[in-house]
């Protein structure tokens, strides 16, 4: 947390400068909207119209969660909701919120951004929240426009030999209009390309989610990686990629646990099935330590059960 020194009665007193925290909806019915949490705010989120942030979502409780400052930290608390809260893929009852965190409430994913400001932050209102949209993060369009104007002005003002042209004022207006038409056309083309790219990424993400539902983890990871190749830092692709990797790790942990439990209970056949499941999941990654461990455990089972070496076959050629 940033700190500043202020003077009070000729003494230096350390004062905490709390950041202004911006929460942006990445998904859900409020996608593209955002709101701020000031240093004195208590923001409630839920389905009830009495909440500061109202979500039209059946998976959200009437009073689902609250955000409040406590001892210089922004704290998110579950208000005994039915479906709970998730922060960075972990279910929580209460959690300190930090810059870059992602909060999942029902169908909505919110991204947290800290912006350092003075302790007195403008209060949030529901009316402002309903009207505000995300502002562009860059000024690419303005830069293109200004560059075009500068280049055309240079052309209008100077001949090839560097002398000033005649009738500049008469020609300047029509030249600028032509430049505006060209730049508008460029902008329209960029918008079309952006829409096509977003549509393509949406198709790729849907393929990845279908593979993930069918527990084809590596195919899902491949699709989400492809989406990030098309649009680096895409928030949804990043989120689903982390989700697919986490589910793969959890699946392997479950198989390992089941195998050890079954072998301890002398249920060797079931233990072999669990280790073979790990082998099949990681068959394209034989250098993975989890693959190596599963293969080693199967070889030990072959010895202990009196099998021939290589008799346990997990993958048919």
């Amino acid at each position: 947390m940033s700190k500043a020194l202020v003077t009070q009665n000729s003494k230096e007193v350390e004062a905490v400068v709390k950041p202004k925290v911006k929460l942006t909806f990445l998904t859900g019915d409020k996608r593209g909207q955002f709101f701020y949490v000031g240093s004195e705010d208590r923001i409630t989120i839920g389905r009830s119209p009495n909440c500061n942030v109202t979500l039209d979502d059946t998976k959200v409780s009437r009073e689902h969660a609250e955000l409040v400052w406590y001892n210089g930290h922004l704290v998110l608390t579950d208000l005994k909701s039915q479906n709970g809260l998730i922060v960075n893929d972990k279910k929580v009852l209460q959690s300190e919120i930090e810059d870059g965190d992602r909060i999942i409430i029902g169908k909505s994913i919110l991204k947290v951004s800290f912006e350092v400001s003075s302790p007195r932050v403008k209060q949030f209102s529901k009316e402002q929240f309903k009207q505000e949209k995300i502002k562009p993060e860059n000024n690419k369009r303005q830069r293109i426009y200004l560059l075009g104007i500068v280049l055309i002005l240079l052309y209008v003002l100077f001949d090839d030999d560097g002398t000033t042209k005649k009738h500049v004022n008469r020609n300047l207006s029509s030249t600028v209009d032509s430049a505006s038409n060209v730049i508008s056309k460029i902008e329209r083309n960029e918008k079309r390309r952006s829409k096509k790219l977003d549509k393509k990424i949406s198709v790729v993400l849907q393929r990845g989610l279908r593979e993930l539902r069918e527990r084809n983890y590596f195919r899902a990871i491949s699709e989400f990686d492809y989406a990030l190749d098309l649009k680096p830092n895409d928030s949804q692709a990043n989120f689903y990629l982390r989700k697919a990797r986490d589910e793969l790790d959890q699946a392997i942990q479950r198989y390992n646990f089941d195998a050890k439990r079954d072998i301890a209970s002398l249920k060797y056949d079931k233990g072999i099935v669990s280790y073979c499941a790990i082998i099949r999941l990681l068959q394209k990654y034989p250098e993975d330590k989890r693959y190596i461990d599963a293969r080693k455990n199967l070889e030990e089972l072959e010895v202990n059960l009196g099998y021939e070496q290589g008799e346990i076959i997990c993958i048919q050629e």
Side-chain angles (χ1 to χ4, degrees), residues 1 18 21 23 37-39 41-45 65-79 85 87 92-98 101 103 112 114:
M1 189 67 63
K18 296 176 182 176
V21 180
L23 287 93
V37 183
S39 60
D41 286 338
R42 175 184 179 270
I43 300 297
T44 56
I45 305 172
E66 71 168 5
L67 284 160
V68 65
W69 286 97
Y70 180 75
N71 287 343
H73 300 281
L74 183 62
V75 177
L76 174 69
T77 303
D78 188 339
L79 299 178
L85 287 172
V87 177
V92 300
L93 293 177
Q94 189 173 70
S95 176
E96 178 185 344
I97 299 303
E98 299 179 350
D101 282 350
I103 302 169
V112 180
F114 278 38

Side-chain angles (χ1 to χ4, degrees), residues 3-30:
K3 295 183 177 180
L5 292 176
V6 297
T7 302
Q8 185 178 23
N9 297 328
S10 302
K11 294 182 180 180
E12 286 187 336
V13 180
E14 195 171 50
V16 176
V17 179
K18 296 176 182 176
K20 181 170 65 172
V21 180
K22 178 181 178 182
L23 287 93
T24 304
F25 284 90
L26 302 179
T27 62
D29 63 322
K30 284 185 167 55

Side-chain angles (χ1 to χ4, degrees), residues 73-182:
H73 300 281
L74 183 62
V75 177
L76 174 69
T77 303
D78 188 339
L79 299 178
K80 298 182 179 179
S81 66
Q82 183 175 355
N83 293 309
L85 287 172
I86 297 176
V87 177
N88 297 331
D89 302 333
K90 292 184 180 180
K91 196 167 186 177
V92 300
L93 293 177
Q94 189 173 70
S95 176
E96 178 185 344
I97 299 303
E98 299 179 350
D99 188 26
D101 282 350
R102 276 177 166 74
I103 302 169
I104 301 178
I105 301 177
K107 298 177 182 178
S108 299
I109 301 174
L110 294 90
K111 180 182 178 182
V112 180
S113 302
F114 278 38
E115 302 173 4
V116 175
S117 64
S118 65
R120 297 182 65 85
V121 179
K122 183 180 178 181
Q123 293 290 319
F124 164 79
S125 69
K126 287 192 286 187
E127 289 74 16
Q128 290 173 329
F129 172 78
K130 291 177 181 178
Q131 295 173 359
E132 288 191 60
K133 297 288 182 182
I134 294 179
K135 298 177 182 178
E137 298 293 338
N138 57 59
N139 295 320
K140 182 177 179 181
R141 188 176 302 171
Q142 290 85 342
R143 290 200 299 270
I144 293 174
Y145 185 84
L146 289 174
L147 178 61
I149 294 296
V150 169
L151 292 174
I152 292 170
L153 284 174
L154 290 173
Y155 173 78
V156 171
L157 292 174
F158 296 96
D159 282 325
D160 292 338
D161 59 358
T163 59
T164 304
K165 283 189 173 183
K166 298 178 181 180
H167 312 301
V168 169
N169 292 334
R170 185 179 63 190
N171 295 332
L172 183 58
S173 177
S174 61
T175 305
V176 171
D177 289 340
S178 299
S180 299
N181 291 333
V182 171

